[in-house]
Amino acid sequence: MKHVKFFLVGILFGIVMSKAEIISWYRIYEMFKFQSFHMYGIIGSAVVLGMIIMFFFRKKMVKTFEGNDIHVAPKKKGLYRNLLGGILFGLGWALAGACPGPMFVLVGKGIVSILVVIFGATLGAFLYGLFKDKLPH
């Protein structure tokens, strides 16, 4: 029962993504062909908001619901691994027509074929978990 608030926020987030046309294959197609600013504006807004939130986390101005400090572990810097990860993510996004968040909204809208993509993404995450110690990071 204590996790209901997170479920409700997820539903609200799904509604916002649907109304903003973030889940639209056509909008994603437009973005990858550089024909529209719509998705770039949304992604850019999310990046700026994320930067602001991370600033507040690092300055210890935001706490968890239990009142604990939020600790953000520093990430290793690496050009090649970030480029490779971004390319793989972008290819998957372009081939599937959806990134991870909107995939579940598409299921909610009745697009059953996206279940194949969700299965593949889940399998990929599982396999990464199995082999991450053997992979270069």
Side-chain angles (χ1 to χ4, degrees):
M1 192 64 178
K2 71 178 190 175
H3 299 293
V4 171
K5 59 188 166 204
F6 300 111
F7 183 72
L8 294 174
V9 168
I11 289 173
L12 177 66
F13 186 57
I15 292 169
V16 169
M17 283 195 292
S18 182
K19 294 295 182 185
E21 297 182 0
I22 296 170
I23 63 170
S24 167
W25 181 88
Y26 179 72
R27 288 290 186 184
I28 294 167
Y29 179 73
E30 272 183 336
M31 178 189 69
F32 282 115
K33 290 189 74 175
F34 300 104
Q35 294 176 337
S36 174
F37 180 75
H38 182 82
M39 291 295 285
Y40 292 112
I42 291 170
I43 293 169
S45 299
V47 169
V48 169
L49 182 63
M51 290 169 63
I52 293 168
I53 291 171
M54 289 302 292
F55 171 79
F56 287 125
F57 284 174
R58 289 200 171 113
K59 295 294 181 185
K60 309 283 187 210
M61 299 171 80
V62 179
K63 298 192 181 285
T64 66
F65 288 115
E66 291 87 23
N68 300 325
D69 286 338
I70 297 173
H71 175 70
V72 180
K75 304 282 186 211
K76 291 181 189 174
K77 295 186 182 197
L79 177 67
Y80 295 114
R81 65 192 183 106
N82 288 337
L83 284 175
L84 180 61
I87 289 169
L88 286 174
F89 182 83
L91 285 172
W93 190 7
L95 290 171
C99 65
M103 289 189 315
F104 297 99
V105 178
L106 289 167
V107 170
K109 287 192 72 116
I111 311 297
V112 181
S113 60
I114 200 72
L115 290 172
V116 174
V117 177
I118 290 174
F119 174 76
T122 305
L123 179 64
F126 176 75
L127 290 174
Y128 174 76
L130 283 177
F131 297 110
K132 72 177 180 181
D133 295 333
K134 297 176 175 83
L135 296 171
H137 284 96

